[in-house]
Amino acid sequence: MEFGLGSGGGGGDESARRVQVRFTTKLGPPLRVPSASLAVPSNLTRMGLSEIVNLLLKNVNDEHKVQPFDFLIVGELVRLPLEDFLLAKGISAEKVLEIEYIKAIAPRKQPNPSLHDDWVSSVDGSNPSYILTGCYDGIARLWKGGAECTHKLAGHTGAITSAVIINGKDDSKHTFHIATGSKDRSLRLWKVLLSTNFDGIDYSEQPVNVRESKILQGHTASVQSVSSDPSGDMICSGSWDGTIKLWEVKNSDADGDSVSIKKRRLISNTANQVESQLEVEGVAVTTLVGHSQSVSSVIWPEHETIYSASWDHSIRHWDVETGKDTWNMASCKMCGKVLNCLDVGGESSALIAAGGSDPVLRVWDPRKPGSLAPVFQFSSHSSWITACKWHRKSWFHLLSASYDGKVMLWDLRTAWPLAIIDSHKDKVLCADWWKDDSIISGGADSKLLVCSGVSI
């Protein structure tokens, strides 16, 4: 069978040579085309390839709705006309070429962003029902379904720089903790209690009680980043003072102030504001010393391991038991850039992604001996990178946010961004994944934005 297409996807030139291809996919039966080989124009772009796949699917099923696809050849995403891609990769066009197709990513933007009173500095999407935000007004907020602010967690006297949901192994499905870090040099722990039935009223897991359980003090400068260990028993914090401190969450609950939704609703229709005059203070279990400048980002992916990024241009790997950095990627200094963000993920959760004071998102593989050069570099941003996050269930996908006002979605199998989200009107300060198929972000425009439909 031969295909010739309009100029929109290439293939408009009748004299273009033909290439024999066979389309394959790991998608379910409704999106599988016949396995027979086809002759297609060699100058097709991915738009033209997508048009062919949709035509084939329409032939199999009249009810098929056209959708965009992406294409992989030898494990790499196609971002050039077919013949240019084959030439660049040294792939012969004399044999039948197997092309795998996957769903293309087309994020859907939330029509009404959630407004804050100041810059949105932190977002956490690890809970499928709620989004947690931290704001420069010193208040953390819980957003049910990403749209309704159910609680405001007030107590800090400075801007919140980091806010994380702690999903402890011992917590029931109706309980979780929150940790917030601030420019006031302190951290605060909060306990959220959910209820499906409160005095006969079904709140559908509405947080009916939020209690501040402890104030953690010890840093001598702004707290820049907070992360919890996998068990949820401890958290670590990175600070402008150049240190990393470890704190206990377990057994930290104190008789702090609490607010009931029912009581608040009797006197106000506004979102519940949880305020506390706690005097209970926690002391750091351990302090990790080694960075010479601000610790901008910390990640605690394994019980015995913490990673940190710093304005001293280094990434460090810490042994929690000994308190020592087992290796120091000081070679990050070869790019001579301050580091703002860090995350660990990808293949076997072993790849390190980081961004800083240039437009380049870099990825390292510390398993490769003898070289500390990045294995991937993505250069489509035009200003400082403020956040990077790996997808929790994918080896290939991660996102980045930047002062250029954009959030970009990346796939390690191509150097071009899969999607660019430009809904913010100012610097983007934070971003995360939510429910595995949405991207959330906050910025200097005081907005929380949700983009759904990110099929990974």
Side-chain angles (χ1 to χ4, degrees), residues 396-409:
F396 304 108
H397 296 89
L398 70 163
L399 59 81
S400 61
S402 170
Y403 279 179
D404 64 13
K406 296 179 175 65
V407 177
M408 296 189 182
L409 174 59

Side-chain angles (χ1 to χ4, degrees), residues 272-292:
N272 299 302
Q273 182 153 320
V274 183
E275 301 188 36
S276 176
Q277 303 297 323
L278 275 180
E279 296 181 357
V280 179
E281 295 186 1
V283 178
V285 176
T286 305
T287 299
L288 309 180
V289 179
H291 286 293
S292 60

